[in-house]
Amino acid sequence: MVMKKTIAIEQLMIPIYLNEKTVIDMLAIIEDGFSMVSEVSASNKVNDSTNSKMSGGFSTKALLDKFLKIQLDTSLGSEHLEENQSSVKQEKVHTNVSLLSKFRNELVNNKLITFKTGEKIDFSRIKTGNFIEIEGELRKNPMIDFLERFIDMFRMMDVFSNNSEIGNKKNMGIKKNGNSNIAKQINMFLEELKHTGTIDFILENEGDTFVLSAQEQYLSNDNISEIIGGRFKVLGKVIKLCKDDNESINLLRKTTLNILNKQTLNEFLAAFETDELKEYNLPSIRTEITGPAAIIIPIAIYA
């Protein structure tokens, strides 16, 4: 009788962000490499049957296809049959998500996760290089979030300006003729802030703040706004620690604004704090995170 495998709820993940390359690299280290043989075959012969299996493993093309060959043990057996002849070939595969689940199980079983979801974070026990798993609500880099909403505000102004009744009642604080040029300049500046291909997410949990330095190519959905505000788990590796409020994380460290000194930066940001703009529901601009906080390279973000 075949025993049914027990599945824990933590194994059934729905990732919105998954760095597949890192997961495969880590599993290759754990498994001491992968076999390149992939086929599993079995055959039965009349009166003198032999059942055989060939070991299976991972293929390089499978990474692109997101279906990876699972390694199987080699076995050889024989039995005497007097009935029909049959031949069966089959393959077992892993998907990228099942490999993530397997990788997390390996970390848990080997006690390599310093803190797991639900545990109170103690920054005095964390070191750079540690794996941790945290949970909380995701938000974008506040500067990028502000500029994107700023552009949306101009788009709304254009819609209202086309309605003469609404446009006459409220000028929206900025002249219509200048809207297009300003929005274009802000959009160019926004693209410059995001030119590295990475984006910071902010995750806060019980007073602790984590900055996730994520690569946009690994997001499962190009529309990032759909995941903002949701509560997710994050498995990642710590690359920087700020253990108290004497240290901070610069949220502009990867942008061109990082070349400005503090005085010049404050003068630049003051342009976005006019009385007219205060009428709108724009997020506050935040350029640094004070400790306790940490920067994490996320391996996976999932529900």
Side-chain angles (χ1 to χ4, degrees):
M1 180 178 179
V2 179
M3 297 293 293
K4 187 175 181 180
K5 183 179 179 181
T6 301
I7 301 294
I9 189 65
E10 292 83 4
Q11 295 177 264
L12 303 177
M13 306 170 172
I14 303 178
I16 61 166
Y17 177 96
L18 177 56
N19 188 329
E20 300 167 347
K21 182 180 183 303
T22 296
V23 171
I24 292 185
D25 286 343
M26 296 297 100
L27 281 174
I29 294 172
I30 293 171
E31 300 289 342
D32 194 24
F34 299 123
S35 170
M36 297 301 292
V37 180
S38 60
E39 185 180 79
V40 181
S41 64
S43 62
N44 295 324
K45 296 182 181 179
V46 176
N47 295 329
D48 188 13
S49 174
T50 300
N51 296 329
S52 62
K53 293 182 179 180
M54 297 172 60
S55 62
F58 290 81
S59 66
T60 52
K61 183 178 181 298
L63 174 60
L64 301 177
D65 296 337
K66 297 186 180 180
F67 283 95
L68 304 166
K69 307 297 169 60
I70 186 172
Q71 186 171 1
L72 300 172
D73 294 332
T74 301
S75 65
L76 182 64
S78 63
E79 61 182 33
H80 185 73
L81 295 178
E82 296 180 354
E83 303 242 340
N84 296 328
Q85 179 178 350
S86 63
S87 178
V88 178
K89 290 186 177 182
Q90 60 184 1
E91 291 182 347
K92 288 188 177 181
V93 299
H94 265 305
T95 66
N96 52 0
V97 180
S98 66
L99 285 176
L100 169 62
S101 181
K102 175 178 172 62
F103 173 56
R104 182 186 179 277
N105 286 342
E106 292 287 348
L107 292 179
V108 172
N109 293 338
N110 289 282
K111 298 181 180 180
L112 295 176
I113 300 182
T114 306
F115 289 98
K116 298 193 294 294
T117 300
E119 297 178 347
K120 174 62 178 175
I121 301 294
D122 182 357
F123 276 82
S124 65
R125 293 174 50 198
I126 300 177
K127 298 179 180 179
T128 55
N130 284 166
F131 289 104
I132 65 171
E133 185 182 55
I134 53 179
E135 182 177 10
E137 184 176 307
L138 290 179
R139 293 184 294 111
K140 275 189 291 189
N141 184 322
M143 188 68 195
I144 292 178
D145 189 26
F146 177 88
L147 292 177
E148 287 180 341
R149 295 197 192 187
F150 195 82
I151 293 172
D152 289 340
M153 181 188 69
F154 279 107
R155 189 179 297 113
M156 181 185 67
M157 289 178 181
D158 288 337
V159 171
F160 285 165
S161 66
N162 292 329
N163 186 314
S164 58
E165 182 178 351
I166 297 177
N168 290 333
K169 288 182 178 180
K170 189 168 182 62
N171 190 4
M172 309 300 285
I174 299 178
K175 295 181 180 180
K176 176 184 174 182
N177 293 337
N179 285 1
S180 178
N181 289 334
I182 295 175
K184 184 177 180 180
Q185 291 173 357
I186 294 297
N187 191 59
M188 291 175 62
F189 178 65
L190 179 61
E191 291 301 316
E192 182 64 23
L193 294 182
K194 299 163 60 177
H195 79 282
T196 60
T198 63
I199 183 170
D200 281 345
F201 289 99
I202 310 298
L203 186 148
E204 294 181 324
N205 185 345
E206 299 181 357
D208 302 322
T209 305
F210 299 90
V211 177
L212 312 180
S213 183
Q215 298 184 50
E216 289 185 290
Q217 63 176 317
Y218 293 122
L219 285 166
S220 61
N221 193 329
D222 291 336
N223 189 2
I224 298 177
S225 62
E226 291 185 4
I227 67 177
I228 298 302
R231 192 169 181 85
F232 295 95
K233 296 178 182 179
V234 178
L235 176 64
K237 203 171 181 67
V238 178
I239 62 170
K240 181 177 180 178
L241 279 171
C242 297
K243 295 189 176 184
D244 53 51
D245 56 10
N246 293 322
E247 300 176 281
S248 64
I249 297 172
N250 182 4
L251 295 177
L252 302 178
R253 67 195 184 283
K254 295 185 291 185
T255 72
T256 52
L257 287 180
N258 195 38
I259 65 175
L260 302 179
N261 60 41
K262 192 169 184 178
Q263 180 180 349
T264 305
L265 177 62
N266 289 336
E267 292 174 356
F268 171 80
L269 297 178
F272 298 99
E273 297 177 354
T274 63
D275 292 336
E276 291 87 353
L277 292 178
K278 291 180 181 179
E279 298 181 28
Y280 307 102
N281 187 27
L282 294 173
S284 59
I285 300 177
R286 190 178 182 185
T287 60
E288 65 178 15
I289 302 290
T290 56
I295 300 179
I296 296 175
I297 295 180
I299 297 172
I301 304 174
Y302 52 91

